[in-house]
Amino acid sequence: MNYRKILFTVCCLVTLFHSGMVHAYTLSAGVREFYLYKGGNSYSSDAAAKLKMSLFALGFGSMTLNLRLGIMNPSDSSLFHPPFRSDRTAMEVMVSRINHGNGFSIFKPMIYVNPGLGTPTALPEVNPESGESLLSSYENVVNVYLSVAALHSIQEYVLGAGLGNTYRKEFSAHWKDILENSRRILGSSTDISLEISTEANLQLLEKFKADDTGLFFETWAEVQKVRFELPIQDYFSPVNLEINPQRLEAMLLDRLQRIHALFPNRKIGLSNVILPSCFHFQSNESEVDCPKVNGAQLMGLTNEGMKAQSEALKVFFRTLDQVSTKTGNAISTLELMLETTQEEPLISQADPRFILTNPLNKPILMGKLKKESIESVTISSPAISSLPDPKGLNRLKKRACVYFDESDPQDFIGPIHARMVENIVGAFPKWQKERRSVVHYRAGDLDNCESVLYTASNFILDPPSTYLTDLAKFAQRHSVVWFNYKFDRFRKAYMNESQSKNLGYTPLAFDVPTVIQADAPPSPKNPDPGFYRFFDFKGETFEKLAYWDSQTDRFSSNPELGGVVIQDKSQVQVLSTARHSLNNTTTPYVVRQNLGKGGTMFYFADLPFTFIDYEDRYLIFCDLIYDVLNEPSPTRPPVALIRLEDINPSVTIQDLAWVTDYLADNKIPFSMALIPFYSNLFQNPIKQAAEPIWKSADRYPEFLGILKYAKARGANFVLHGITHSAGDLISGYDGSSGSDYEFWSAPKNVPIIQDSPEWAVKRLELAESILTRIGIRPVAWEVPHYAASATDFYLFGKLFEWNYHRGLYFKSEVINAPVIPEQYRMFDCVTLECREERIKLG
């Protein structure tokens, strides 16, 4: 298989919905340790747990753990582990806490001068006598962090903080070894980042590239993200704690353009942002020291300082938003230095360098996280492919216009499939998408589109003639995708327009004059008539799951296919062929023809969004969308998610133990889709005991033991329904957990009769109580058999931070939607009062 695009293929197949806030750049909370006494306030301490809770309550989804490395003085060439630091166990505890809060961990080893108790100052730059010796000791002391990062598959691993003086050509071999070893241990699930702490670091990298460009790219090949810091004293006044927004903006634009020139196609993050609340602070590049008060450093906070810091934070966010808009969201992440692990509010020991200490900043942070929320989710921001020059900084995103058929309010196929197309386009940050009904088309509506995708689902609905003629002109310079029916009508309009106005359009070299049907009508005696079931693409075979259901007298997926006829094979490229299920004859499935000046016409011979299965031809579209939008293919290795499905007390314990060991031993991250309540009310007395079963998971000692074992070996858990059955109804197969629907009635294909917000929430609370008893907090929710009502899906999106399943699509709009605050999410709303309020909101 051609793997160049498989990353997005997986993302298309498994939809991850995030109910939190999404914005141009994601916010990460930078956290440093604060040691008041030996062994106190480490990352495993109660103070760290409380800090994590407070950060996640604000809406932060990731934490950057600043891990301690020691050096005797800045000119030394040897690093060591300080005596007061978080050990391996403490780090694992913190990562587990973050994981169980549905968050992400980032490891950043940082160098401190002879660190001891308290919070010492990190060194932005070390000036070693021997760079080779420094890198060798660095490689040795970070091994423990590397092993923990690999074991828990943390989100990001940051290298180079404080080591910028070694970003030279003479140290390229050593850096290449460090990066390749890190990649080998971490695998593909963790991003490796490089930290640029100072302007001098950046200049060394620029010189390195100028001296030997080939060696430069070879050295830093494993770097997926580049982080940079800004010298705080250049934009933040220590006298009055005011930000100069013009200066900050100019610095950001300068750094972004220079870093992109060095590292094209890499994500870029702004790192280590500290806005202190102490007047007359001193700084070395981006590191800060507050003045001593009565002989003691970092003692307390003043009202004036907190007010000034709060105003500065507002200006900082506003400026960064402006830069993000101008650069097409070039900055993917922002790391705010929010707090140490020192428990607050012990104000006498508070550190005014960190933002979270200041209560005035909490509403600002919460407002920032909430005001930019959008309906759909983005998976992590991909690498930018280009950075505009200053004159083009205000250019808008390209617009993909998704048109659909809608003959009447009951015509739901077109709107639903258009939304699925829109969701796929939404994975590309340079593109904005817009769904439009073709029946409402007005002349000139295509003028603001860069690409058009039309889901022609209704055979008898004629698109407006103005749409067809405008599309003919549009196709000469842009990409067009036509799905399914009525392409012959477009071709006729295309030819008439070209000939009548002598426009000289590139002739269309293919047509779709017929619709190929199944060989015969289905019947109980002939349930599987021959049709074009298989689809060949890049050496792989995909399938259309079009089985006939005798109970509903319907195919699960339409077996029809557009009959493509190619007049000039030299002009038309067949990208995929369809193969008949009985006689193996083939016909074109996806074709492409270049038109005019840069235009491209794609034709798909059906709608690839009906009843999507695991190896469905839908994946062909997921691959070709890169060509449609002319976007670069992903550069990172293939990524897949492993989920063990329908884990319940009826599984074979030995098999579950074996697969757990296999995955853990091979350091493969995995999750278990857990059914916390086992139901089997309709047992067959011949095959098994006649007594009905209705027991919670904690009443099965062996099963509980394997869950605890899997958790200890790194398993994450997905809540997969409550019983994965419909109680005392058979809704699917046999009524047992794992076999039946829970929120959906089959084969009627409608919501379950008792469906309501209150009913759904109470079922979720049953699961919550069971999992709380056995000490498991799921990281996501998965709908049993992926089916539920539109109301249920709305609730699941609000009550869980992550939804991990293939969801149903509805032609529906939410009217007067209840506002469900984050504190009412499952596993966070634990008091009776909270649950009562949650039910009222639902």
Side-chain angles (χ1 to χ4, degrees):
M1 176 182 284
N2 185 338
Y3 286 108
R4 70 186 181 98
K5 299 175 180 176
I6 197 66
L7 171 63
F8 186 69
T9 295
V10 173
C11 292
C12 288
L13 181 61
V14 181
T15 306
L16 289 173
F17 290 101
H18 188 284
S19 59
M21 287 7 114
V22 181
H23 20 62
Y25 49 87
T26 57
L27 295 177
S28 177
V31 177
R32 296 186 184 176
E33 298 167 285
F34 191 114
Y35 274 83
L36 298 179
Y37 53 88
K38 185 176 182 179
N41 295 101
S42 73
Y43 283 129
S44 63
S45 67
D46 183 59
K50 291 181 179 179
L51 176 60
K52 190 272 297 184
M53 291 177 64
S54 63
L55 291 173
F56 279 50
L58 287 174
F60 284 87
S62 66
M63 292 176 64
T64 302
L65 305 183
N66 291 192
L67 307 173
R68 292 185 171 202
L69 303 179
I71 195 168
M72 295 303 295
N73 63 70
S75 62
D76 274 2
S77 303
S78 179
L79 300 171
F80 60 90
H81 284 303
F84 305 122
R85 68 180 180 90
S86 293
D87 58 18
R88 180 190 179 100
T89 301
M91 287 187 292
E92 291 198 44
V93 169
M94 189 61 174
V95 171
S96 297
R97 284 172 171 160
I98 295 171
N99 289 345
H100 292 166
N102 305 325
F104 298 102
S105 304
I106 299 171
F107 279 8
K108 181 164 73 170
M110 296 182 66
I111 302 172
Y112 300 83
V113 177
N114 197 19
L117 299 178
T119 304
T121 298
L123 287 177
E125 194 171 67
V126 178
N127 299 288
E129 294 180 359
S130 169
E132 286 290 349
S133 297
L134 179 69
L135 290 175
S136 295
S137 70
Y138 179 74
E139 192 169 10
N140 288 330
V141 296
V142 299
N143 276 341
V144 62
Y145 307 135
L146 195 61
S147 62
V148 174
L151 182 64
H152 293 278
S153 296
I154 66 165
Q155 183 186 39
E156 186 177 347
Y157 189 78
V158 185
L159 291 168
L163 299 177
N165 266 324
T166 62
Y167 296 166
R168 305 169 187 265
K169 180 179 178 180
E170 55 264 36
F171 302 126
S172 62
H174 209 140
W175 266 115
K176 187 171 183 288
D177 288 343
I178 291 174
L179 290 164
E180 289 179 348
N181 181 62
S182 298
R183 172 56 63 215
R184 179 181 59 81
I185 295 174
L186 292 171
S188 60
S189 61
T190 300
D191 282 348
I192 294 178
S193 298
L194 185 69
E195 186 96 354
I196 301 176
S197 303
T198 68
E199 167 67 21
N201 299 167
L202 184 56
Q203 292 176 7
L204 285 176
L205 288 167
E206 290 172 329
K207 184 177 186 305
F208 183 176
K209 185 177 182 181
D211 290 344
D212 194 330
T213 302
L215 182 61
F216 178 90
F217 285 120
E218 181 182 348
T219 301
W220 309 111
E222 295 293 346
V223 172
Q224 294 163 290
K225 182 176 183 178
V226 180
R227 291 163 154 255
F228 71 96
E229 302 180 25
L230 292 178
I232 185 175
Q233 70 276 7
D234 287 3
Y235 67 87
F236 191 49
S237 168
V239 177
N240 54 20
L241 302 186
E242 290 182 357
I243 285 181
N244 183 328
Q246 292 78 21
R247 177 59 181 157
L248 175 60
E249 180 175 342
M251 293 170 65
L252 286 168
L253 291 174
D254 172 74
R255 287 291 176 93
L256 287 171
Q257 291 179 352
R258 292 166 66 192
I259 291 172
H260 179 70
L262 287 170
F263 297 96
N265 302 321
R266 303 301 208 282
K267 291 177 282 189
I268 301 177
L270 178 55
S271 182
N272 197 43
V273 174
I274 306 173
L275 300 177
S277 62
C278 52
F279 293 95
H280 304 291
F281 64 84
Q282 296 180 342
S283 62
N284 176 14
E285 287 283 341
S286 60
E287 191 52 87
V288 171
D289 279 324
C290 286
K292 294 183 179 180
V293 178
N294 297 327
Q297 198 168 22
L298 307 180
M299 291 294 290
L301 298 169
T302 65
N303 289 333
E304 292 78 9
M306 288 191 289
K307 290 179 181 179
Q309 184 191 58
S310 182
E311 290 302 313
L313 187 61
K314 294 177 184 177
V315 174
F316 185 88
F317 276 141
R318 187 162 56 246
T319 306
L320 189 60
D321 289 344
Q322 293 170 353
V323 170
S324 295
T325 300
K326 291 181 178 180
T327 60
N329 298 329
I331 296 177
S332 64
T333 57
L334 166 64
E335 176 192 305
L336 286 174
M337 296 307 298
L338 290 175
E339 184 57 284
T340 65
T341 57
Q342 167 60 38
E343 182 180 347
E344 297 298 336
L346 299 178
I347 298 300
S348 63
Q349 296 164 338
D351 191 334
R353 290 181 295 177
F354 301 116
I355 293 172
L356 195 61
T357 307
N358 180 356
L360 298 177
N361 286 324
K362 291 186 179 181
I364 299 174
L365 293 171
M366 295 186 74
K368 174 61 183 171
L369 287 162
K370 291 182 177 179
K371 72 177 183 180
E372 296 178 350
S373 63
I374 59 176
E375 291 182 7
S376 59
V377 70
T378 56
I379 304 167
S380 59
S381 299
I384 56 173
S385 60
S386 63
L387 198 66
D389 58 62
K391 293 183 179 179
L393 289 178
N394 290 316
R395 70 187 182 96
L396 296 175
K397 290 183 177 182
K398 294 177 284 187
R399 179 181 281 107
C401 301
V402 183
Y403 280 89
F404 60 89
D405 290 341
E406 187 178 29
S407 59
D408 58 62
Q410 302 304 316
D411 188 356
F412 59 88
I413 295 297
I416 288 177
H417 287 199
R419 179 168 289 178
M420 298 174 80
V421 174
E422 183 187 29
N423 282 354
I424 297 171
V425 175
F428 297 89
K430 292 182 181 179
W431 288 82
Q432 56 180 316
K433 69 278 186 195
E434 186 173 322
R435 277 179 294 127
R436 300 174 175 179
S437 172
V438 74
V439 299
H440 299 303
Y441 185 82
R442 297 292 181 270
D445 282 354
L446 295 183
D447 291 349
N448 62 353
C449 303
E450 290 292 329
S451 180
V452 168
L453 303 97
Y454 175 37
T455 59
S457 59
N458 190 316
F459 181 78
I460 63 174
L461 177 68
D462 283 322
S465 58
T466 51
Y467 174 70
L468 297 175
T469 55
D470 281 2
L471 191 62
K473 180 180 179 181
F474 180 89
Q476 301 303 301
R477 296 181 178 273
H478 304 279
S479 67
V480 175
V481 182
W482 191 292
F483 295 98
N484 208 22
Y485 297 134
K486 302 177 292 194
F487 186 81
D488 58 322
R489 302 177 208 185
F490 168 72
R491 190 177 193 276
K492 181 179 180 180
Y494 183 97
M495 301 296 288
N496 289 341
E497 182 74 2
S498 176
Q499 294 171 3
S500 64
K501 297 184 179 179
N502 195 26
L503 297 177
Y505 287 175
T506 302
L508 279 172
F510 71 95
D511 193 9
V512 189
T514 61
V515 176
I516 304 173
Q517 307 281 339
D519 291 357
S523 68
K525 293 184 178 181
N526 184 26
D528 191 16
F531 64 94
Y532 286 93
R533 182 192 296 278
F534 304 106
F535 302 85
D536 298 317
F537 179 69
K538 294 186 177 180
E540 296 290 328
T541 297
F542 301 89
E543 185 176 357
K544 178 190 291 188
L545 198 64
Y547 292 105
W548 178 67
D549 187 336
S550 61
Q551 296 186 51
T552 61
D553 193 25
R554 294 175 59 186
F555 279 103
S556 55
S557 183
N558 191 341
E560 296 178 347
L561 200 72
V564 178
V565 177
I566 299 176
Q567 289 95 3
D568 187 347
K569 294 182 179 180
S570 66
Q571 298 296 315
V572 179
Q573 182 181 4
V574 178
L575 302 178
S576 172
T577 57
R579 189 156 36 89
H580 196 276
S581 59
L582 298 182
N583 57 33
N584 277 331
T585 58
T586 61
T587 186
Y589 174 56
V590 184
V591 297
R592 172 173 61 192
Q593 181 182 351
N594 294 329
L595 301 175
K597 299 180 180 180
T600 309
M601 171 62 70
F602 293 83
Y603 175 73
F604 283 73
D606 72 352
L607 281 171
F609 311 103
T610 52
F611 206 88
I612 299 168
D613 196 48
Y614 301 106
E615 297 180 357
D616 201 277
R617 82 279 189 215
Y618 165 76
L619 299 178
I620 299 173
F621 175 66
C622 290
D623 188 282
L624 290 175
I625 188 64
Y626 288 89
D627 299 318
V628 171
L629 301 180
N630 194 25
E631 288 290 327
S633 303
T635 57
R636 64 180 296 167
V639 175
L641 300 174
I642 294 180
R643 185 178 72 212
L644 307 181
E645 199 73 352
D646 295 341
I647 304 302
N648 67 80
S650 70
V651 302
T652 303
I653 300 300
Q654 293 80 1
D655 291 345
L656 193 55
W658 179 88
V659 72
T660 295
D661 286 337
Y662 177 83
L663 294 169
D665 291 345
N666 287 279
K667 302 187 184 306
I668 301 173
F670 67 101
S671 61
M672 288 184 173
L674 178 60
I675 305 170
F677 211 109
Y678 183 62
S679 172
N680 194 347
L681 299 178
F682 304 93
Q683 294 191 41
N684 185 334
I686 297 176
K687 295 183 179 180
Q688 49 192 312
E691 180 186 357
I693 297 176
W694 181 268
K695 292 181 181 179
S696 58
D698 56 337
R699 295 176 61 188
Y700 294 86
E702 288 189 2
F703 181 65
L704 186 58
I706 191 62
L707 294 182
K708 291 182 177 179
Y709 178 72
K711 180 180 177 181
R713 298 228 63 188
N716 284 314
F717 294 92
V718 176
L719 179 55
H720 190 25
I722 297 82
T723 63
H724 205 314
S725 67
D728 57 355
L729 299 174
I730 293 181
S731 179
Y733 299 96
D734 60 16
S736 64
S737 289
S739 294
D740 276 25
Y741 295 86
E742 184 170 352
F743 296 87
W744 198 249
S745 180
K748 295 180 180 179
N749 206 32
V750 296
I752 202 162
I753 189 170
Q754 63 265 51
D755 182 61
S756 70
E758 182 175 5
W759 173 80
V761 170
K762 286 185 176 180
R763 289 191 70 80
L764 294 173
E765 288 179 348
L766 173 62
E768 182 182 50
S769 64
I770 296 168
L771 295 187
T772 300
R773 287 201 302 270
I774 63 179
I776 288 178
R777 181 187 176 107
V779 298
W781 162 258
E782 179 192 359
V783 175
H785 282 353
Y786 311 132
S789 68
T791 299
D792 292 338
F793 273 111
Y794 177 83
L795 285 172
F796 298 150
K798 294 297 182 181
L799 295 177
F800 293 92
E801 187 174 10
W802 289 96
N803 277 228
Y804 178 9
H805 48 235
R806 294 180 293 159
L808 291 184
Y809 284 72
F810 296 89
K811 183 186 175 183
S812 61
E813 301 294 335
V814 177
I815 301 174
N816 297 326
V819 177
I820 304 178
E822 292 180 11
Q823 63 264 30
Y824 291 136
R825 282 180 179 162
M826 305 307 300
F827 297 90
D828 289 329
C829 182
V830 295
T831 66
L832 179 61
E833 293 78 11
C834 179
R835 291 180 176 181
E836 289 176 347
E837 287 297 318
R838 180 167 61 190
I839 288 292
K840 292 177 184 178
L841 289 173

